[in-house]
C-alpha cells in the first residue's frame, strides 16, 4: 500500500483535472477475415453483424469506467482488417458500399471513428487494392466515421512510386469532394511508410492480418502533464535531468492507461492488446507538444534546437512507458499534428514553423507530417513529392512515417481551415513553388536501402 500515499493520489487528480491527462482512445481491433464472400452484399452483412456482436457494449462500458475512475476517455473507435483484402473476392467489388456498411455499424454501436478502409501496397497493387484506392474520395465523402489509410512503402520493400503518384491525385479529389467542409475528407486519409497493425490512433488504425480475432488497444496521452512537470523543474536543471523527469511522468501516464485498458478489456471479455503512449495534443490550452518545447527553453516550436528537443522527448516517453507495461505498441512517442495543437498553430502563424522544419522533425518523432493544410491549388505532383519525401525518411530510418495533408479547396496561404473537435483548425501553409512532376511521374519503385538486406 506504500505506493498509494496521499501525494500520489493528489498528483494523479491534478494530472486529470488540471493538466488534461486522459485516455485519448479505446480502440477495438477486430478481424474481418471470416467475412470474405464472393457476394458483396453477403460480405457487408457479415461485417455489420460482426461489428455489432463485438462492439455493442464498447461505448457503454467505456462510459461506465470513465465515471467510476474519473479519468476522461475521449474517443471510442474500431479498427478492422484492411478492407481491400475483405472485398477483393467479391464479383462486384463495391468498396463504397462496404464503407457505408462500416459507417452504419460504427454509428449503431456509438463509436467516434472506424479505421481500416485501407490497402497495403508498398510492393504493388492487386485488383482489390486498385479498386479500394480509387473509391476513397467517394467513400469518405459519403460517410462520417470511416477513416482510410494506404501503406506506400516499407524499409524492406522500398517505395511504390506508382501508388505515391496516385495518392497525390486521390488526396486532392477527396478534399475537393468535401470542399464545403474545408476538405475534411482528406483529414481522414493518411499515407504510411512502415505502418503498424496495432495502432489505435486515427486515421491510420487497422487490424493487421497477423493480429488476433479481437483485442482492445489503448491510446494514452498527456502532453499537458509533461509540460507541467517540465515547467516546474528548477530553471538550472540540465537536459539529462529533464529527460529523466519525462521518463518518470511517462511511467505514471502509462500505468494509468494500462489500468483502464485492462479493466475495459475484461468487461468486454476480449484480450488486452497494447498501450500506445503517444503524446497526442488537442486544441485545448496547455495540452500541447509545442508547449513542452517552450517549457524546455525554446522560444517557439520551430526554433533551432526543436528537432533535438523532440528527439529527447520521444525517447524519454518510450523509455518511461516500456518500464510501466510489457505491452507497449502502436506508434508510441510524440505526435506533431499542426491543426490539433494550439501552440503549433501559433508557431506557424508567427513564421517559426514551416513544412520543411516539420519534415526534419519527423525524422525523430512518432509519425510524420500530420494535419497540415496547404493551398487548394497545390498540384497533385507536389503532394506526391511531399509524400515521397516522407516515405523516404521512414524507409531509410526503419521507422513509421506518415502524411496527412489537406489541400484546402478555394483557400490560399494565410487562410484558415476550421474542422472543430479534436481536429481543430489549421493555418494554410506554403509549399515549395518548384515542380516535382518530372520526378514523381517516372513512377516505378524506389528500391529498398542496402541495410534492408539484414537476414
Amino acid at each position: 500500500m506504500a505506493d498509494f500515499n496521499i501525494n500520489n493520489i493528489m498528483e494523479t487528480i491534478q494530472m486529470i483535472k488540471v493538466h488534461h491527462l486522459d485516455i485519448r482512445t479505446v480502440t477495438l481491433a477486430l478481424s474481418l477475415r471470416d467475412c470474405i464472400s464472393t457476394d458483396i452484399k453477403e460480405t457487408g452483412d457479415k461485417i455489420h453483424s460482426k461489428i455489432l456482436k463485438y462492439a455493442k457494449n464498447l461505448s457503454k462500458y467505456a462510459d461506465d469506467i470513465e465515471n467510476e475512475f474519473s479519468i476522461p476517455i475521449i474517443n471510442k473507435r474500431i479498427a478492422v482488417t484492411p478492407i481491400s483484402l475483405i472485398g477483393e473476392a467479391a464479383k462486384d467489388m463495391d468498396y463504397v458500399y462496404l464503407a457505408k456498411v462500416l459507417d452504419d455499424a460504427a454509428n449503431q454501436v456509438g463509436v467516434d471513428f472506424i479505421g481500416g478502409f485501407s490497402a497495403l501496397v508498398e510492393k504493388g497493387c492487386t485488383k482489390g487494392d486498385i479498386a479500394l484506392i480509387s473509391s476513397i474520395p467517394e467513400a469518405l465523402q459519403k460517410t462520417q466515421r470511416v477513416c482510410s489509410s494506404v501503406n506506400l512503402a516499407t524499409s524492406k520493400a522500398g517505395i511504390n512510386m506508382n501508388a505515391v503518384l496516385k495518392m497525390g491525385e486521390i488526396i486532392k479529389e477527396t478534399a475537393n469532394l468535401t470542399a464545403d467542409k474545408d476538405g475534411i475528407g482528406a483529414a481522414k486519409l493518411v499515407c504510411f511508410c512502415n505502418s503498424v497493425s496495432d495502432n489505435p490512433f486515427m486515421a491510420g488504425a487497422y487490424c493487421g492480418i497477423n493480429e488476433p480475432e479481437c483485442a482492445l488497444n489503448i491510446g494514452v496521452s498527456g502532453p499537458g502533464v509533461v509540460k507541467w512537470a517540465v515547467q516546474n523543474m528548477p530553471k538550472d536543471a540540465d537536459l539529462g535531468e529533464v529527460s529523466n523527469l519525462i521518463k518518470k511522468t511517462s511511467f505514471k501516464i502509462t500505468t494509468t492507461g494500462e489500468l483502464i485498458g485492462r479493466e475495459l478489456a475484461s468487461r468486454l471479455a476480449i484480450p488486452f492488446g497494447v498501450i500506445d503512449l503517444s503524446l497526442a495534443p488537442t486544441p485545448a490550452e496547455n495540452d500541447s507538444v509545442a508547449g513542452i518545447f517552450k517549457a524546455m527553453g525554446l522560444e517557439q516550436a520551430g526554433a533551432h534546437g526543436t528537432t533535438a528537443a523532440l528527439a529527447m522527448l520521444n525517447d524519454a516517453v518510450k523509455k518511461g512507458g516500456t518500464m510501466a507495461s510489457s505491452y507497449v505498441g502502436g506508434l508510441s512517442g510524440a505526435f506533431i499534428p499542426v491543426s490539433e495543437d494550439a501552440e503549433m498553430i501559433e508557431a506557424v502563424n508567427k513564421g517559426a514553423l514551416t513544412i520543411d522544419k516539420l519534415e526534419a522533425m519527423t525524422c525523430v518523432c512518432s509519425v510524420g507530417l500530420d494535419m497540415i493544410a496547404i493551398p487548394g491549388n497545390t498540384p497533385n505532383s507536389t503532394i506526391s513529392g511531399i509524400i515521397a519525401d516522407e516515405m523516404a525518411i521512414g524507409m531509410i530510418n526503419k521507422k513509421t512515417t506518415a502524411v496527412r495533408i489537406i489541400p484546402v479547396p478555394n483557400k490560399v496561404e494565410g487562410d484558415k481551415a476550421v474542422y472543430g473537435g479534436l481536429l481543430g483548425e489549421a493555418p494554410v501553409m506554403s509549399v515549395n513553388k518548384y515542380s516535382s512532376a518530372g520526378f514523381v511521374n517516372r513512377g516505378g519503385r524506389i528500391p529498398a536501402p542496402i541495410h534492408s538486406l539484414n537476414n
Side-chain angles (χ1 to χ4, degrees):
M1 295 295 292
D3 290 336
F4 294 93
N5 61 48
I6 190 65
N7 290 332
N8 287 338
I9 292 169
M10 293 306 296
E11 182 183 41
T12 302
I13 291 171
Q14 189 171 25
M15 285 180 177
I16 295 166
K17 297 299 183 184
V18 181
H19 303 294
H20 305 288
L21 174 62
D22 58 49
I23 309 299
R24 186 56 47 86
T25 177
V26 291
T27 301
L28 173 68
L30 185 60
S31 172
L32 300 181
R33 287 160 57 182
D34 58 351
C35 298
I36 294 171
S37 169
T38 57
D39 184 301
I40 196 70
K41 300 299 181 185
E42 182 180 348
T43 299
D45 289 343
K46 287 182 176 181
I47 290 172
H48 195 274
S49 296
K50 189 164 188 180
I51 291 172
L52 263 60
K53 175 184 175 181
Y54 281 89
K56 61 183 178 181
N57 292 317
L58 176 63
S59 290
K60 178 185 181 303
Y61 290 169
D63 289 342
D64 290 346
I65 289 173
E66 179 176 356
N67 292 330
E68 290 172 29
F69 289 82
S70 297
I71 297 176
I73 298 175
I74 306 302
N75 267 195
K76 298 92 174 178
R77 299 165 175 172
I78 298 170
V80 299
T81 310
I83 292 296
S84 67
L85 304 174
I86 306 305
E88 191 168 39
K91 295 175 183 176
D92 175 17
M93 290 188 291
D94 188 347
Y95 283 103
V96 173
Y97 163 73
L98 292 183
K100 292 177 180 177
V101 169
L102 294 173
D103 199 49
D104 181 66
N107 181 46
Q108 286 196 40
V109 299
V111 298
D112 300 281
F113 293 108
I114 185 164
F117 197 74
S118 306
L120 311 176
V121 299
E122 59 269 16
K123 210 168 184 179
C125 297
T126 66
K127 59 182 181 179
D129 296 328
I130 294 169
L132 180 132
I133 290 171
S134 297
S135 73
I136 288 172
E138 184 181 356
L140 296 184
Q141 177 200 23
K142 293 184 175 179
T143 60
Q144 297 297 316
R145 294 167 175 80
V146 173
C147 291
S148 181
S149 62
V150 182
N151 194 69
L152 302 172
T154 67
S155 295
K156 282 287 190 182
I159 305 172
N160 182 349
M161 287 300 296
N162 292 327
V164 168
L165 184 62
K166 180 66 175 177
M167 287 309 299
E169 172 190 327
I170 293 295
I171 290 169
K172 189 76 165 287
E173 185 181 351
T174 302
N176 287 338
L177 286 179
T178 52
D180 59 326
K181 298 178 180 178
D182 281 347
I184 195 171
K188 296 185 287 181
L189 171 59
V190 58
C191 298
F192 273 116
C193 173
N194 294 323
S195 65
V196 295
S197 60
D198 58 0
N199 165 27
F201 286 101
M202 298 297 170
Y206 65 88
C207 178
I209 58 171
N210 56 331
E211 295 294 310
E213 179 75 4
C214 62
L216 187 75
N217 298 321
I218 302 294
V220 180
S221 187
V225 176
V226 175
K227 176 185 175 182
W228 165 65
V230 175
Q231 278 180 330
N232 283 280
M233 294 188 77
K235 296 303 179 184
D236 60 351
D238 68 30
L239 292 174
E241 293 171 308
V242 173
S243 176
N244 197 46
L245 178 66
I246 294 170
K247 284 192 295 182
K248 292 178 179 178
T249 306
S250 177
F251 180 93
K252 295 172 184 176
I253 292 170
T254 307
T255 302
T256 303
E258 179 143 348
L259 169 68
I260 298 301
R262 288 193 177 278
E263 179 64 26
L264 181 54
S266 175
R267 295 189 190 187
L268 291 169
I270 63 173
F272 175 73
V274 300
I275 181 165
D276 184 321
L277 48 112
S278 296
L279 295 181
T282 71
E285 185 179 358
N286 292 322
D287 196 26
S288 164
V289 171
I292 300 172
F293 303 149
K294 287 186 178 181
M296 289 180 182
L298 294 169
E299 184 177 0
Q300 282 286 347
H304 295 300
T306 301
T307 304
L310 179 57
M312 184 183 74
L313 172 64
N314 210 50
D315 180 65
V317 165
K318 292 184 179 183
K319 286 174 177 173
T322 53
M323 289 299 292
S325 173
S326 296
Y327 297 98
V328 172
L331 298 166
S332 292
F335 289 167
I336 51 171
V338 172
S339 78
E340 299 170 14
D341 187 315
E343 295 189 53
M344 286 282 223
I345 294 169
E346 177 190 338
V348 171
N349 287 333
K350 289 185 174 180
L353 194 59
T354 64
I355 289 181
D356 289 340
K357 182 59 177 177
L358 285 164
E359 181 184 302
M361 292 164 66
T362 66
C363 297
V364 300
C365 77
S366 284
V367 195
L369 297 172
D370 196 13
M371 286 302 294
I372 293 172
I374 60 174
N377 63 357
T378 302
N380 298 352
S381 57
T382 297
I383 298 172
S384 295
I386 293 169
I387 296 170
D389 284 343
E390 200 58 39
M391 298 302 99
I393 289 171
M395 177 183 71
I396 294 295
N397 291 293
K398 298 183 180 179
K399 70 184 294 292
T400 302
T401 52
V403 174
R404 186 162 51 146
I405 196 165
I406 308 158
V408 186
N410 307 313
K411 291 195 173 179
V412 298
E413 179 187 351
D415 288 341
K416 181 170 66 174
V418 179
Y419 303 110
L422 286 179
L423 296 179
E425 59 184 48
V428 178
M429 302 176 71
S430 64
V431 298
N432 195 300
K433 65 181 181 180
Y434 294 101
S435 175
S436 310
F439 174 71
V440 298
N441 284 326
R442 289 178 179 272
R445 182 152 57 97
I446 294 179
I450 188 65
H451 61 235
S452 68
L453 303 175
N454 58 357
N455 285 333

Short mmCIF file of all heavy atoms in Angstrom, two decimals, residues 249-288:
data_model
loop_
_atom_site.label_atom_id
_atom_site.label_comp_id
_atom_site.label_asym_id
_atom_site.label_seq_id
_atom_site.Cartn_x
_atom_site.Cartn_y
_atom_site.Cartn_z
N THR A 249 7.36 10.76 -15.62
CA THR A 249 6.00 11.20 -15.91
C THR A 249 5.32 10.23 -16.87
O THR A 249 4.15 9.87 -16.69
CB THR A 249 6.01 12.62 -16.50
OG1 THR A 249 6.72 13.49 -15.62
CG2 THR A 249 4.60 13.14 -16.71
N SER A 250 6.05 9.80 -17.88
CA SER A 250 5.52 8.84 -18.84
C SER A 250 5.15 7.53 -18.16
O SER A 250 4.14 6.89 -18.50
CB SER A 250 6.54 8.59 -19.95
OG SER A 250 6.08 7.63 -20.86
N PHE A 251 5.96 7.12 -17.20
CA PHE A 251 5.67 5.90 -16.43
C PHE A 251 4.31 6.01 -15.76
O PHE A 251 3.49 5.09 -15.81
CB PHE A 251 6.77 5.68 -15.39
CG PHE A 251 6.58 4.45 -14.55
CD1 PHE A 251 7.16 3.24 -14.91
CD2 PHE A 251 5.82 4.49 -13.39
CE1 PHE A 251 6.98 2.10 -14.14
CE2 PHE A 251 5.65 3.37 -12.60
CZ PHE A 251 6.23 2.17 -12.99
N LYS A 252 4.04 7.15 -15.13
CA LYS A 252 2.76 7.34 -14.43
C LYS A 252 1.59 7.36 -15.41
O LYS A 252 0.53 6.78 -15.14
CB LYS A 252 2.81 8.65 -13.64
CG LYS A 252 3.84 8.66 -12.51
CD LYS A 252 3.97 10.03 -11.89
CE LYS A 252 5.08 10.05 -10.83
NZ LYS A 252 5.29 11.41 -10.29
N ILE A 253 1.78 8.03 -16.54
CA ILE A 253 0.73 8.09 -17.55
C ILE A 253 0.40 6.69 -18.07
O ILE A 253 -0.77 6.31 -18.20
CB ILE A 253 1.16 9.01 -18.71
CG1 ILE A 253 1.26 10.47 -18.25
CG2 ILE A 253 0.19 8.90 -19.89
CD1 ILE A 253 1.90 11.39 -19.27
N THR A 254 1.43 5.92 -18.36
CA THR A 254 1.24 4.58 -18.91
C THR A 254 0.56 3.65 -17.92
O THR A 254 -0.31 2.86 -18.27
CB THR A 254 2.59 3.99 -19.35
OG1 THR A 254 3.24 4.90 -20.23
CG2 THR A 254 2.40 2.66 -20.05
N THR A 255 0.96 3.74 -16.66
CA THR A 255 0.35 2.92 -15.62
C THR A 255 -1.15 3.18 -15.53
O THR A 255 -1.96 2.25 -15.43
CB THR A 255 1.02 3.20 -14.26
OG1 THR A 255 2.42 2.95 -14.36
CG2 THR A 255 0.44 2.32 -13.18
N THR A 256 -1.53 4.44 -15.59
CA THR A 256 -2.95 4.80 -15.56
C THR A 256 -3.68 4.22 -16.76
O THR A 256 -4.76 3.65 -16.63
CB THR A 256 -3.10 6.34 -15.56
OG1 THR A 256 -2.40 6.89 -14.44
CG2 THR A 256 -4.57 6.74 -15.49
N GLY A 257 -3.08 4.33 -17.93
CA GLY A 257 -3.70 3.82 -19.15
C GLY A 257 -3.88 2.31 -19.14
O GLY A 257 -4.92 1.79 -19.56
N GLU A 258 -2.87 1.60 -18.65
CA GLU A 258 -2.99 0.14 -18.62
C GLU A 258 -4.08 -0.30 -17.66
O GLU A 258 -4.80 -1.27 -17.93
CB GLU A 258 -1.65 -0.50 -18.25
CG GLU A 258 -1.73 -2.00 -18.18
CD GLU A 258 -0.49 -2.71 -18.70
OE1 GLU A 258 0.36 -2.05 -19.33
OE2 GLU A 258 -0.37 -3.92 -18.50
N LEU A 259 -4.22 0.38 -16.54
CA LEU A 259 -5.29 0.06 -15.60
C LEU A 259 -6.65 0.15 -16.28
O LEU A 259 -7.48 -0.78 -16.19
CB LEU A 259 -5.23 1.03 -14.41
CG LEU A 259 -6.44 1.02 -13.46
CD1 LEU A 259 -6.50 -0.29 -12.70
CD2 LEU A 259 -6.37 2.20 -12.50
N ILE A 260 -6.88 1.24 -16.99
CA ILE A 260 -8.16 1.44 -17.67
C ILE A 260 -8.34 0.42 -18.80
O ILE A 260 -9.42 -0.17 -18.97
CB ILE A 260 -8.26 2.87 -18.22
CG1 ILE A 260 -8.19 3.89 -17.08
CG2 ILE A 260 -9.54 3.05 -19.04
CD1 ILE A 260 -9.28 3.76 -16.05
N GLY A 261 -7.29 0.20 -19.58
CA GLY A 261 -7.38 -0.72 -20.70
C GLY A 261 -7.70 -2.14 -20.29
O GLY A 261 -8.56 -2.81 -20.89
N ARG A 262 -7.03 -2.60 -19.27
CA ARG A 262 -7.27 -3.98 -18.82
C ARG A 262 -8.66 -4.13 -18.22
O ARG A 262 -9.32 -5.16 -18.38
CB ARG A 262 -6.18 -4.39 -17.83
CG ARG A 262 -4.83 -4.63 -18.50
CD ARG A 262 -3.84 -5.32 -17.60
NE ARG A 262 -2.59 -5.58 -18.30
CZ ARG A 262 -2.37 -6.61 -19.10
NH1 ARG A 262 -3.34 -7.49 -19.31
NH2 ARG A 262 -1.20 -6.77 -19.71
N GLU A 263 -9.12 -3.11 -17.53
CA GLU A 263 -10.46 -3.18 -16.95
C GLU A 263 -11.53 -3.23 -18.06
O GLU A 263 -12.47 -4.02 -17.99
CB GLU A 263 -10.70 -1.97 -16.05
CG GLU A 263 -12.07 -1.91 -15.40
CD GLU A 263 -12.35 -3.06 -14.45
OE1 GLU A 263 -11.38 -3.63 -13.88
OE2 GLU A 263 -13.54 -3.40 -14.26
N LEU A 264 -11.37 -2.39 -19.08
CA LEU A 264 -12.34 -2.38 -20.18
C LEU A 264 -12.29 -3.69 -20.96
O LEU A 264 -13.34 -4.25 -21.32
CB LEU A 264 -12.09 -1.19 -21.10
CG LEU A 264 -13.05 -1.03 -22.29
CD1 LEU A 264 -14.50 -1.02 -21.85
CD2 LEU A 264 -12.72 0.23 -23.09
N ALA A 265 -11.09 -4.19 -21.24
CA ALA A 265 -10.97 -5.47 -21.95
C ALA A 265 -11.64 -6.59 -21.16
O ALA A 265 -12.32 -7.46 -21.75
CB ALA A 265 -9.50 -5.79 -22.19
N SER A 266 -11.48 -6.58 -19.85
CA SER A 266 -12.09 -7.61 -19.01
C SER A 266 -13.61 -7.56 -19.09
O SER A 266 -14.28 -8.61 -19.22
CB SER A 266 -11.63 -7.42 -17.56
OG SER A 266 -12.29 -8.32 -16.70
N ARG A 267 -14.17 -6.37 -19.05
CA ARG A 267 -15.63 -6.23 -19.12
C ARG A 267 -16.17 -6.64 -20.49
O ARG A 267 -17.29 -7.15 -20.59
CB ARG A 267 -16.04 -4.80 -18.78
CG ARG A 267 -15.72 -4.43 -17.35
CD ARG A 267 -16.33 -3.10 -16.93
NE ARG A 267 -15.81 -2.69 -15.64
CZ ARG A 267 -16.25 -1.64 -14.95
NH1 ARG A 267 -17.25 -0.91 -15.43
NH2 ARG A 267 -15.71 -1.32 -13.78
N LEU A 268 -15.39 -6.40 -21.53
CA LEU A 268 -15.80 -6.80 -22.88
C LEU A 268 -15.52 -8.28 -23.15
O LEU A 268 -15.94 -8.80 -24.19
CB LEU A 268 -15.08 -5.95 -23.92
CG LEU A 268 -15.47 -4.47 -23.99
CD1 LEU A 268 -14.48 -3.71 -24.87
CD2 LEU A 268 -16.89 -4.32 -24.54
N ALA A 269 -14.78 -8.92 -22.23
CA ALA A 269 -14.39 -10.34 -22.37
C ALA A 269 -13.57 -10.58 -23.63
O ALA A 269 -13.77 -11.54 -24.36
CB ALA A 269 -15.63 -11.23 -22.35
N ILE A 270 -12.63 -9.66 -23.88
CA ILE A 270 -11.70 -9.80 -25.01
C ILE A 270 -10.29 -9.56 -24.50
O ILE A 270 -10.09 -8.98 -23.43
CB ILE A 270 -12.03 -8.82 -26.16
CG1 ILE A 270 -11.86 -7.37 -25.70
CG2 ILE A 270 -13.43 -9.06 -26.70
CD1 ILE A 270 -12.01 -6.36 -26.82
N PRO A 271 -9.27 -9.98 -25.25
CA PRO A 271 -7.89 -9.79 -24.79
C PRO A 271 -7.49 -8.32 -24.78
O PRO A 271 -7.95 -7.52 -25.60
CB PRO A 271 -7.05 -10.56 -25.82
CG PRO A 271 -8.02 -11.46 -26.53
CD PRO A 271 -9.33 -10.77 -26.49
N PHE A 272 -6.63 -7.96 -23.82
CA PHE A 272 -5.97 -6.66 -23.85
C PHE A 272 -4.85 -6.73 -24.87
O PHE A 272 -4.06 -7.66 -24.87
CB PHE A 272 -5.43 -6.31 -22.47
CG PHE A 272 -4.64 -5.03 -22.43
CD1 PHE A 272 -5.28 -3.81 -22.51
CD2 PHE A 272 -3.26 -5.05 -22.32
CE1 PHE A 272 -4.56 -2.62 -22.47
CE2 PHE A 272 -2.53 -3.87 -22.28
CZ PHE A 272 -3.18 -2.66 -22.35
N GLY A 273 -4.77 -5.74 -25.75
CA GLY A 273 -3.76 -5.74 -26.80
C GLY A 273 -2.51 -4.98 -26.39
O GLY A 273 -1.63 -5.51 -25.74
N VAL A 274 -2.44 -3.70 -26.78
CA VAL A 274 -1.27 -2.88 -26.47
C VAL A 274 -1.72 -1.54 -25.94
O VAL A 274 -2.86 -1.12 -26.11
CB VAL A 274 -0.39 -2.65 -27.72
CG1 VAL A 274 0.10 -3.97 -28.29
CG2 VAL A 274 -1.12 -1.82 -28.78
N ILE A 275 -0.78 -0.87 -25.30
CA ILE A 275 -0.98 0.52 -24.93
C ILE A 275 -0.03 1.37 -25.75
O ILE A 275 1.18 1.13 -25.79
CB ILE A 275 -0.77 0.74 -23.41
CG1 ILE A 275 -1.00 2.22 -23.05
CG2 ILE A 275 0.58 0.26 -22.94
CD1 ILE A 275 -1.17 2.45 -21.56
N ASP A 276 -0.59 2.31 -26.47
CA ASP A 276 0.18 3.26 -27.27
C ASP A 276 0.27 4.54 -26.46
O ASP A 276 -0.73 5.19 -26.19
CB ASP A 276 -0.52 3.51 -28.60
CG ASP A 276 0.27 4.41 -29.54
OD1 ASP A 276 0.88 5.38 -29.06
OD2 ASP A 276 0.27 4.15 -30.76
N LEU A 277 1.49 4.90 -26.04
CA LEU A 277 1.66 6.04 -25.14
C LEU A 277 2.10 7.30 -25.87
O LEU A 277 2.85 8.11 -25.33
CB LEU A 277 2.63 5.68 -24.01
CG LEU A 277 3.94 5.01 -24.43
CD1 LEU A 277 5.11 5.93 -24.19
CD2 LEU A 277 4.12 3.72 -23.67
N SER A 278 1.62 7.46 -27.08
CA SER A 278 1.97 8.66 -27.83
C SER A 278 1.41 9.91 -27.16
O SER A 278 0.26 9.93 -26.72
CB SER A 278 1.40 8.56 -29.26
OG SER A 278 1.99 7.51 -29.97
N LEU A 279 2.22 10.95 -27.10
CA LEU A 279 1.74 12.25 -26.65
C LEU A 279 1.00 12.91 -27.80
O LEU A 279 1.61 13.40 -28.75
CB LEU A 279 2.91 13.13 -26.20
CG LEU A 279 3.70 12.65 -24.98
CD1 LEU A 279 4.80 13.64 -24.65
CD2 LEU A 279 2.79 12.44 -23.78
N ALA A 280 -0.32 12.87 -27.73
CA ALA A 280 -1.15 13.42 -28.80
C ALA A 280 -1.83 14.68 -28.29
O ALA A 280 -2.62 14.62 -27.35
CB ALA A 280 -2.20 12.39 -29.24
N PRO A 281 -1.54 15.83 -28.87
CA PRO A 281 -2.10 17.09 -28.36
C PRO A 281 -3.57 17.26 -28.74
O PRO A 281 -4.11 16.53 -29.57
CB PRO A 281 -1.23 18.15 -29.03
CG PRO A 281 -0.85 17.52 -30.33
CD PRO A 281 -0.66 16.05 -30.02
N THR A 282 -4.19 18.25 -28.15
CA THR A 282 -5.53 18.69 -28.56
C THR A 282 -5.49 20.21 -28.70
O THR A 282 -4.53 20.86 -28.25
CB THR A 282 -6.60 18.33 -27.51
OG1 THR A 282 -6.42 19.16 -26.35
CG2 THR A 282 -6.53 16.86 -27.12
N PRO A 283 -6.54 20.80 -29.29
CA PRO A 283 -6.56 22.27 -29.39
C PRO A 283 -6.73 22.98 -28.05
O PRO A 283 -6.61 24.20 -27.98
CB PRO A 283 -7.78 22.53 -30.30
CG PRO A 283 -7.96 21.26 -31.07
CD PRO A 283 -7.59 20.17 -30.11
N ALA A 284 -6.99 22.23 -26.96
CA ALA A 284 -7.20 22.84 -25.65
C ALA A 284 -5.93 23.56 -25.18
O ALA A 284 -4.80 23.14 -25.47
CB ALA A 284 -7.60 21.79 -24.62
N GLU A 285 -6.12 24.62 -24.43
CA GLU A 285 -5.00 25.40 -23.91
C GLU A 285 -4.12 24.52 -23.01
O GLU A 285 -4.62 23.77 -22.17
CB GLU A 285 -5.52 26.59 -23.12
CG GLU A 285 -4.44 27.54 -22.63
CD GLU A 285 -4.99 28.73 -21.89
OE1 GLU A 285 -6.23 28.84 -21.78
OE2 GLU A 285 -4.18 29.55 -21.41
N ASN A 286 -2.82 24.60 -23.21
CA ASN A 286 -1.81 23.88 -22.43
C ASN A 286 -1.72 22.38 -22.72
O ASN A 286 -0.90 21.70 -22.11
CB ASN A 286 -2.01 24.11 -20.92
CG ASN A 286 -1.73 25.53 -20.51
OD1 ASN A 286 -0.80 26.15 -21.01
ND2 ASN A 286 -2.56 26.07 -19.61
N ASP A 287 -2.54 21.86 -23.63
CA ASP A 287 -2.47 20.42 -23.96
C ASP A 287 -1.68 20.28 -25.26
O ASP A 287 -2.20 19.81 -26.28
CB ASP A 287 -3.88 19.85 -24.10
CG ASP A 287 -3.89 18.33 -24.06
OD1 ASP A 287 -2.98 17.75 -23.46
OD2 ASP A 287 -4.82 17.73 -24.63
N SER A 288 -0.41 20.69 -25.22
CA SER A 288 0.34 20.94 -26.44
C SER A 288 1.74 20.33 -26.38
O SER A 288 2.45 20.49 -25.39
CB SER A 288 0.46 22.46 -26.64
OG SER A 288 1.46 22.79 -27.57
#
